[in-house]
Amino acid sequence: MESEKKSSAISDVGAWAMNVVSSVGIIMANKQLMSNNGYAFSFATTLTGFHFAVTALVGLASNATGYSVSKHVPLWELLWFSVVANMSITGMNFSLMLNSVGFYQISKLSMIPVVCVMEWILHNKHYSKEVKMAVVVVVIGVGVCTVTDVKVNLKGFMCAFLAVLSTSLQQISIGSLQKKYSIGSFELLSKTAPIQALSLLILGPFVDYYLNGNLITNYKMSSGAILFILLSCSLAVFCNMSQYLCIGRFSAVSFQVLGHMKTVCVLTLGWLLFDSELTIKNIMGMILAVVGMLIYSWAVEIEKQSNIKTLPHGKNSLTEEEIRLLKDGAEKNPVKDVELAEAKG
């Protein structure tokens, strides 16, 4: 039993580490690829289509070799999810173009309370006062170290509003679909990636043309640009896998809160590698954000222990091995009309 707990803890840390490392890596690679000082590849939406195309190929190869088993998920659910996910990507790109960087950062920070409210509405999930306090500390900390000028207009606000709602709904759906159809994170990603890749590769060039006025067909591709596109796509596979894995193992709220560790890492690496300015305000904000993440982790653990203590005696009598066997049995004979009522903390 102790070894299972240790193995689970190692898996949890591994999932978060993969997400942080791959996310920070892809941001650094894209910065070199897309900046004017780099290769000026200013086609973000199309690049995301490349990301999902490579992810889809990896998923197909995995299914063909028997590494992963494909489970049935209704096509309409996959299409609905892909539409929401693509709205998230496009909305974020438009929000960044139409709003100031400061308001864009505020809109990203608003996802944490929005996810909390949506999980309460959709799944009747409640949060302890310690968790709420931690969320506030993280939002303030990240806000202090990232938000500068704040300018907003009606069109930009509408795009940011749509982006926040669709991103929050997409992240919640990742967890609920995995539970509803007893499907693993990589198996779900393998099913959604081809649909997202196809739609983004078709629509992406038009969206990018509207955003920056350039056609991808007019871009002069160099060997360096190709190398960084391939690097970005490779990192995207791990980034997408770890996102689905983390949300499946924890929750969309945890992914949002602890995911801001990536913001801290990006600011630090930007200072180390690209001579970006790092002020006392940035440093104080990062420290506050990290403190908030630690409080959140502690609060979630306290909530878990409290839930275990309040379980009926009959449920407490089940060992972890018995629970694992029951889960294995459920996976072999899934009851597809039943969704777990209690979301993971």
Side-chain angles (χ1 to χ4, degrees):
M1 190 160 61
E2 286 298 324
S3 62
E4 283 188 11
K5 283 185 179 179
K6 188 175 180 181
S7 176
S8 178
I10 291 171
S11 298
D12 292 348
V13 172
W16 280 117
M18 185 197 295
N19 186 256
V20 171
V21 171
S22 59
S23 297
V24 173
I26 201 172
I27 289 170
M28 294 293 130
N30 287 351
K31 188 170 185 176
Q32 180 63 26
L33 176 65
M34 303 181 77
S35 68
N36 291 327
N37 295 328
Y39 296 99
F41 185 85
S42 57
F43 308 99
T45 313
T46 307
L47 180 62
T48 308
F50 293 156
H51 290 170
F52 280 107
V54 174
T55 303
L57 289 174
V58 172
L60 288 172
S62 177
N63 287 332
T65 55
Y67 178 77
S68 58
V69 179
S70 180
K71 291 186 178 179
H72 176 70
V73 178
L75 180 60
W76 73 267
E77 292 245 44
L78 297 175
L79 290 172
W80 174 84
F81 175 85
S82 299
V83 168
V84 171
N86 288 350
M87 284 174 61
S88 164
I89 294 164
T90 307
M92 279 297 178
N93 287 341
F94 274 101
S95 175
L96 184 58
M97 180 191 77
L98 296 170
N99 297 310
S100 65
V101 175
F103 185 77
Y104 174 76
Q105 290 294 346
I106 288 175
S107 68
K108 286 181 70 177
L109 283 172
S110 71
M111 284 181 203
I112 301 177
V114 169
V115 168
C116 290
V117 171
M118 289 182 75
E119 285 205 323
W120 171 64
I121 294 171
L122 297 174
H123 299 143
N124 196 30
K125 187 173 181 180
H126 297 273
Y127 300 92
S128 66
K129 62 181 180 181
E130 292 85 2
V131 169
K132 293 173 185 174
M133 178 183 70
V135 166
V136 171
V137 173
V138 171
V139 169
I140 292 173
V142 177
V144 166
C145 67
T146 59
V147 176
T148 51
D149 62 313
V150 179
K151 295 177 183 177
V152 62
N153 56 75
L154 181 59
K155 191 184 291 185
F157 177 82
M158 293 305 295
C159 286
F161 180 77
L162 179 65
V164 169
L165 279 184
S166 56
T167 302
S168 302
L169 185 58
Q170 180 235 1
Q171 292 184 356
I172 292 171
S173 298
I174 289 173
S176 60
L177 284 174
Q178 288 184 49
K179 291 173 186 175
K180 187 174 182 179
Y181 296 104
S182 301
I183 188 171
S185 53
F186 185 67
E187 286 74 23
L188 178 60
L189 178 60
S190 299
K191 289 182 175 295
T192 57
I195 301 172
Q196 285 188 255
L198 183 63
S199 54
L200 287 172
L201 288 175
I202 292 171
L203 298 175
F206 299 101
V207 173
D208 290 330
Y209 178 73
Y210 181 83
L211 288 170
N212 57 46
N214 297 319
L215 286 171
I216 192 170
T217 51
N218 294 335
Y219 180 76
K220 292 182 180 179
M221 197 70 72
S222 65
S223 57
I226 293 172
L227 179 64
F228 270 91
I229 288 172
L230 291 174
L231 176 61
S232 181
C233 289
S234 301
L235 289 167
V237 174
F238 292 100
C239 187
N240 289 329
M241 284 173 57
S242 58
Q243 180 189 10
Y244 280 56
L245 186 61
C246 287
I247 293 175
R249 293 180 73 89
F250 306 100
S251 70
V253 175
S254 295
F255 182 77
Q256 279 291 331
V257 173
L258 301 179
H260 279 293
M261 178 58 72
K262 293 176 281 192
T263 306
V264 175
C265 292
V266 167
L267 287 172
T268 305
L269 286 174
W271 173 63
L272 291 172
L273 301 178
F274 298 100
D275 294 324
S276 300
E277 186 182 5
L278 198 62
T279 63
I280 296 296
K281 176 174 167 283
N282 295 140
I283 295 169
M284 294 302 294
M286 287 191 289
I287 292 171
L288 188 61
V290 172
V291 169
M293 292 174 207
L294 292 173
I295 295 173
Y296 180 83
S297 300
W298 166 79
V300 169
E301 189 60 33
I302 292 295
E303 203 170 53
K304 282 182 182 177
Q305 296 300 326
S306 176
N307 288 339
I308 290 171
K309 287 178 183 177
T310 56
L311 282 174
H313 179 72
K315 287 188 179 179
N316 274 335
S317 64
L318 287 175
T319 65
E320 288 194 8
E321 179 65 19
E322 288 170 332
I323 292 170
R324 186 182 65 78
L325 289 172
L326 284 171
K327 285 181 178 177
D328 289 344
E331 287 181 0
K332 289 176 184 176
N333 302 288
V335 182
K336 295 190 177 181
D337 292 327
V338 178
E339 181 174 349
L340 294 176
E342 186 177 359
K344 287 186 180 178

